[in-house]
Amino acid sequence: MKMNEKVKALWINALESETYKQGKGALRLISPEGSLCDEYCCLGVLTELFIKEHPGTIFSKVSAFKGKKVMEYSYKNEETKSLTGSKTLLPLPVMKWAEISEFDPIVSYGNTPINISTLNDNDIDFKEIASIIRNQL
């Protein structure tokens, strides 16, 4: 699976930039005070990049998930004409933009196929994830 090269470069640069603080378990975690604490899954970083390039396509709201406050990203589902939301996986418009065929891309890590969000949630840092994206997606 080869993703869009322009989007891939944006994603790698964002992960390596240290602009985004890494978080686990959701695309974007919200601080207890209610302000954004800038904690993102690697897939959340890609979602944020999409939002910057396509404002108004995805709507976000704070939502509860597994005892934490997270950002839920919603988009209009063209088939059902209703809003579809995601807290942990790539929203469909992001997948289409990036030309990724999976909501959570599978990569190889130590000769084992694994979802990229699982690497993120198992403390593989953004720089290593960026290297995996560079070489495998």
Side-chain angles (χ1 to χ4, degrees):
M1 158 186 59
K2 285 289 181 189
M3 68 180 293
N4 178 292
E5 289 297 323
K6 177 185 171 229
V7 175
K8 179 177 173 177
L10 288 171
W11 194 14
I12 290 168
N13 288 338
L15 292 173
E16 292 178 336
S17 72
E18 298 183 9
T19 300
Y20 296 91
K21 183 177 178 185
Q22 192 166 1
K24 297 180 190 181
L27 295 172
R28 186 173 187 170
L29 299 164
I30 307 300
S31 74
E33 299 83 37
S35 63
L36 298 179
C37 68
D38 299 321
E39 288 189 12
Y40 302 84
C41 167
C42 60
L43 297 176
V45 172
L46 183 59
T47 301
E48 289 292 321
L49 294 172
F50 173 84
I51 290 169
K52 287 178 185 175
E53 296 243 342
H54 301 89
T57 306
I58 290 183
F59 310 96
S60 55
K61 69 176 182 177
V62 176
S63 181
F65 182 69
K66 294 185 178 181
K68 297 180 181 179
K69 289 185 179 180
V70 301
M71 191 65 73
E72 181 173 0
Y73 297 96
S74 299
Y75 59 94
K76 186 174 181 181
N77 184 317
E78 294 304 320
E79 290 179 19
T80 64
K81 304 296 183 204
S82 63
L83 285 180
T84 300
S86 180
K87 299 170 189 157
T88 60
L89 301 172
L90 286 175
L92 188 58
V94 179
M95 291 172 54
K96 288 180 178 180
W97 173 65
E99 298 173 19
I100 293 174
S101 60
E102 300 157 319
F103 291 101
D104 188 357
I106 296 172
V107 294
S108 179
Y109 189 75
N111 296 321
T112 302
I114 190 166
N115 292 94
I116 201 161
S117 69
T118 302
L119 291 178
N120 182 92
D121 292 352
N122 284 303
D123 297 321
I124 304 303
D125 67 38
F126 277 171
K127 290 185 191 245
E128 188 170 352
I129 291 171
S131 177
I132 291 166
I133 292 166
R134 181 180 290 111
N135 294 318
Q136 296 186 37
L137 296 181

